[in-house]
Amino acid sequence: MNILSRINGPQELKNLNPQELAALADELRAAVLNRVSKVGVHVGPNLGITELTIAFHYVFQSPVDKIIWNVSHQSYPHKILTGVKVAI
């Protein structure tokens, strides 16, 4: 996890180029799969929301701009990008 290991908050996404953002999405999905394989939560919603989560944090000014998730099992990518890397 090369790019993800360098991300310590959502503001750092703005420094990434489009190729790095795509690679980050792959790394984030791998981190989610790694985590859910250990704790057994819903995997589909977390994988499906990955690019959208990156886009939210890239476009908006988190945490000033609030992001509200419909259900908690869509929030793993968000948690990981906002510093809850212990979830990995």
Side-chain angles (χ1 to χ4, degrees):
M1 292 190 195
N2 189 16
I3 297 172
L4 185 56
S5 66
R6 297 188 331 238
I7 301 296
N8 294 307
Q11 68 282 358
E12 295 176 8
L13 297 180
K14 296 179 189 314
N15 298 325
L16 301 178
N17 65 45
Q19 293 80 17
E20 291 172 316
L21 290 170
L24 175 63
D26 292 340
E27 292 179 23
L28 196 51
R29 250 188 240 92
V32 167
L33 286 171
N34 180 48
R35 180 61 181 163
V36 299
S37 71
K38 296 174 184 171
V39 297
V41 299
H42 298 283
V43 68
N46 283 298
L47 297 179
I49 201 79
T50 301
E51 282 86 1
L52 186 59
T53 302
I54 292 170
F56 280 164
H57 288 297
Y58 187 84
V59 172
F60 296 109
Q61 217 177 7
S62 177
V64 174
D65 296 323
K66 304 299 180 203
I67 300 170
I68 300 173
W69 300 102
N70 185 30
V71 289
S72 64
H73 55 263
Q74 292 177 329
S75 64
Y76 263 46
H78 168 75
K79 289 179 180 179
I80 294 169
L81 288 177
T82 55
V84 188
K85 289 186 182 174
V86 73
I88 300 172

